[in-house]
Amino acid sequence: MKASIALTAAAALAAKASAACFSQRLGYPCCSGNEVVYTDNDGKWGVENGNWCGIADAPAQATCWSLSQGYPCCSSSNAEVWYTDASGKWGVENGDWCGIPTGSTGGSTGGGNVTPSNEQYTISGNPFKGVEFYINPYYVEEVDGAIAQMSDSSLIAKAEKMKTYSNAIWLDTIKNMQSWLESNLQGAQSQHQSSGKDILTVFVVYDLPGRDCHALASNGELLANDGDLARYKSEYIDVIEGHLKTYKSQPVVLIVEPDSLANLVTNLESTPACADSEKYYLEGHAYLIKKLGVLPHVAMYLDIGHAFWLGWDDNREKAGKVYAKVISSGSPGNVRGFTDNVSNYTPWEDPTLSRGPDTEWNPCPDEKRYLEAISKDFKSAGIKSVYFVSDSSRNGKKVDRKHPGEWCNQTGVGVGARPQASPVSGMDYLDAFYWIKPLGESDGTSDESAARFDGYCGHETAMKPAPEAGQWFQKHFEQGIKNANPPL
C-alpha cells in the first residue's frame, strides 16, 4: 500500500453530518466549508476547529446510493464491477470502494454497509490452507495504472495476470488503517457471501513508535516516546481489535511489524535510534499480542528479517531468546509463527552459495536454509508454535546486488513463487509462500536531497530514479514481471 504523508492531528470520532463525505469512514468529520489544505488519494482535506476534515464531493454525485454508506460514487456508471451485494454494484477508484451509479434517479437500492455475520470462524492449523485468497483492490488499481503506461502487448498480458494474485494490505499509518481495514474486511465478507468460500485476507501491521529504526526510507509517523506509544495502542491497535471483533466470520492473517524485532537482535548497540526504540517495540508487541492473539479467526506472524540478517549462528541463537521473551510477554495471546524475507530479494534457494568468504561465512545463504535452521533454534528456545510465511513477491530471480545486505529497489528483480499454502514437500512448518510486499511499490527514494533518503537507495545496484517508499515505481514493476520465475 502506498505510504502517504501522515496527518498528525489526533483522529476524531466519526460523527453524523448533514452532508456525507469520504472522511467519515476514516474517522474524520466533514468540512462545513471548501478550503482545500491537502489532497491525497482519499480526497480533499481541510482544517476546522483544529482538526482535519474531509471536503465533500461535488453536489452532482449527491444522489448516488453509496454516499449514505460512507463511500463515494464511482466516476462512471460503466465502471468495472468488482462485486455485487444487496446495496448495489461496487467498483474501485482512487484506491477505495465506490458505488457504481445506477442511473439518473440515483438513490439507495436497499441495505446499509455489509452486515457483519454473527458466525465465528476459528483457525485450526495452517490459515492459508483450504481458503480462497482475497484480492487487494488497491493493488489492482495500481496495476491498471501501470498497464495504461505500457504499449508492449506481451508485457500487458503479464501485468494483467498480476491482478489475479493476492497480496498483503499494508496498514502503515493510522489514517490508512482507518481507510483500509474495515472496507477490505467487508469486501472479504461480501466475496464469501457471493462465492460460499472462506476468504483469507492478509494485513501488515506496521506503525510502531520509532518504526524501522535502522533505516531512513521507511520511518513512520509515530516517534519513540510515551505519548506516541499511547497513540499506537489507543488509535491503532485498539481500533484494529474492534474491527476484527466485528468481522469475525472470515480468517485473517496479520504480518506483524516488519524489521522491528530483528533490529533488536542486531542493531541495539550500533544504532542509537534502535536503542531509543527498544522499549516501545517490546511494549508494542506485548500489547498487540495480548489484544489480537486471542481472536480465534486471526493468525499472527512476527517478522524475522531474512537470511542475510539473522542467518548467522550467533544471530539465530540470540533471536530465539528475543522472540521467546516477546511471545511470552503477550500471554494469553497466541502467535502462529514468523515471516521472513518481507520486502527483500533473497532467493528461496541458491545452490551457487555456501558457507564461505562470499557469504561472510553465513551458513544460511538462502531463505530455505535459513528457515530450516531457525526453526530448530526457535524450538530449542522454547517457542511452541513455529511456522513460517515466506515473502516470495520479489525473489524469483537472483538480483544484481553485489552484497546480500542490499535491500533498496534492486535491479534484476523478478516476481517469485505464487501465493500458495504448504508449497514445499517435506517442510510442514512452511505455511505459505505469499506476496507481502507488492511488486512495483518503491523501497525508498534515490533523491539525495529528500528527508527520507537512505544511502542504500543510492547504491550502484539500486534502480534509479526511484520515488519515495510505497509510491509506484513503474520501471521496477516492469522489470519484475519480465523476470518472473516461474514466468507469468
Side-chain angles (χ1 to χ4, degrees):
M1 168 181 302
K2 285 185 179 179
S4 63
I5 299 174
L7 301 180
T8 56
L13 294 176
K16 297 290 183 183
S18 57
C21 67
F22 72 91
S23 62
Q24 286 181 308
R25 69 180 183 282
L26 307 179
Y28 296 87
C30 299
C31 297
S32 59
N34 58 6
E35 182 179 356
V36 178
V37 174
Y38 174 70
T39 301
D40 62 12
N41 286 337
D42 294 309
K44 297 177 180 179
W45 295 86
V47 175
E48 292 181 358
N49 300 318
N51 197 15
W52 293 99
C53 58
I55 297 173
D57 290 332
Q61 293 188 348
T63 58
C64 177
W65 58 269
S66 62
L67 288 176
S68 64
Q69 303 180 26
Y71 292 89
C73 300
C74 298
S75 59
S76 170
S77 59
N78 296 319
E80 182 177 1
V81 178
W82 280 98
Y83 75 89
T84 302
D85 62 13
S87 301
K89 296 179 179 179
W90 295 87
V92 175
E93 290 182 355
N94 299 320
D96 204 357
W97 298 105
C98 59
I100 298 176
T102 56
S104 59
T105 59
S108 173
T109 58
N113 281 341
V114 176
T115 302
S117 170
N118 289 324
E119 296 179 9
Q120 174 66 65
Y121 188 98
T122 298
I123 291 174
S124 178
N126 182 354
F128 290 85
K129 202 166 186 177
V131 297
E132 185 175 291
F133 298 161
Y134 180 69
I135 302 297
N136 180 354
Y138 183 92
Y139 188 69
V140 170
E141 186 181 69
E142 286 188 309
V143 174
D144 279 335
I147 291 171
Q149 302 178 52
M150 299 176 183
S151 57
D152 184 329
S153 60
S154 64
L155 196 62
I156 290 173
K158 295 178 188 295
E160 289 287 354
K161 290 181 181 178
M162 290 292 291
K163 293 159 53 178
T164 67
Y165 294 105
S166 178
N167 57 27
I169 298 166
W170 287 64
L171 310 177
D172 55 359
T173 64
I174 292 170
K175 178 175 173 290
N176 280 344
M177 179 274 295
Q178 292 168 332
S179 176
W180 278 101
L181 179 59
E182 184 176 23
S183 63
N184 285 291
L185 290 172
Q186 290 177 341
Q189 185 169 311
S190 293
Q191 190 174 331
H192 165 72
Q193 291 170 349
S194 299
S195 69
K197 299 178 180 178
D198 294 322
I199 308 299
L200 175 68
T201 309
V202 179
F203 296 98
V204 181
V205 177
Y206 188 52
D207 203 26
L208 269 175
R211 186 181 77 191
D212 227 346
C213 60
H214 191 63
L216 296 176
S218 47
N219 289 163
E221 63 182 349
L222 301 180
L223 304 180
N225 60 54
D226 292 347
D228 278 2
L229 177 62
R231 289 191 65 199
Y232 179 74
K233 292 177 178 180
S234 65
E235 297 180 37
Y236 187 71
I237 296 300
D238 288 356
V239 178
I240 292 174
E241 177 195 27
H243 287 312
L244 292 178
K245 283 183 173 179
T246 300
Y247 297 91
K248 59 185 181 180
S249 68
Q250 298 302 301
V252 170
V253 159
L254 300 180
I255 305 299
V256 177
E257 298 293 353
D259 293 350
S260 57
L261 296 181
N263 271 314
L264 298 190
V265 175
T266 62
N267 293 321
L268 285 181
E269 296 180 1
S270 63
T271 307
C274 292
D276 293 341
S277 299
E278 180 182 17
K279 168 187 174 182
Y280 305 105
Y281 285 12
L282 294 176
E283 288 192 27
H285 275 83
Y287 190 81
L288 70 88
I289 293 171
K290 288 176 182 176
K291 287 278 189 173
L292 310 179
V294 297
L295 304 178
H297 64 299
V298 174
M300 292 197 298
Y301 296 81
L302 307 184
D303 181 70
I304 55 167
H306 53 85
F308 280 97
W309 191 342
L310 301 183
W312 288 266
D313 295 343
D314 54 345
N315 284 348
R316 298 196 322 273
E317 181 182 2
K318 185 176 180 181
K321 297 175 182 177
V322 169
Y323 285 81
K325 175 183 176 182
V326 167
I327 292 170
S328 177
S329 73
S331 180
N334 297 306
V335 171
R336 167 68 182 177
F338 309 91
T339 183
D340 67 292
N341 208 37
V342 173
S343 301
N344 207 265
Y345 302 87
T346 309
W348 173 247
E349 289 185 279
D350 189 349
T352 68
L353 294 180
S354 60
R355 187 171 194 165
D358 289 343
T359 61
E360 298 180 4
W361 305 98
N362 185 350
C364 306
D366 57 34
E367 294 304 306
K368 182 179 181 181
R369 280 177 277 186
Y370 176 46
L371 296 191
E372 288 172 340
I374 205 166
S375 64
K376 298 175 183 177
D377 295 314
F378 278 12
K379 290 175 182 176
S380 296
I383 300 174
K384 296 179 180 179
S385 185
V386 183
Y387 298 90
F388 300 94
V389 177
S390 191
D391 188 353
S392 59
S393 60
R394 306 190 300 179
N395 69 345
K397 177 181 178 292
K398 192 172 181 178
V399 294
D400 298 333
R401 62 188 181 187
K402 297 180 179 178
H403 185 279
E406 299 283 358
W407 54 266
C408 190
N409 298 322
Q410 291 302 287
T411 56
V413 63
V415 68
R418 311 302 181 255
Q420 179 185 353
S422 304
V424 179
S425 176
M427 293 185 73
D428 58 356
Y429 51 87
L430 179 63
D431 280 349
F433 287 145
Y434 191 79
W435 291 355
I436 299 174
K437 169 73 174 186
L439 175 72
E441 295 186 3
S442 175
D443 294 321
T445 181
S446 59
D447 180 0
E448 297 183 11
S449 66
R452 289 173 44 164
F453 171 74
D454 190 295
Y456 277 92
C457 299
H459 286 186
E460 181 182 352
T461 58
M463 187 178 288
K464 308 174 196 67
E468 289 279 2
Q471 294 182 4
W472 189 255
F473 195 174
Q474 181 77 10
K475 186 177 178 182
H476 207 240
F477 174 75
E478 291 185 8
Q479 186 174 80
I481 61 177
K482 287 177 182 176
N483 290 337
N485 180 29
L488 288 163

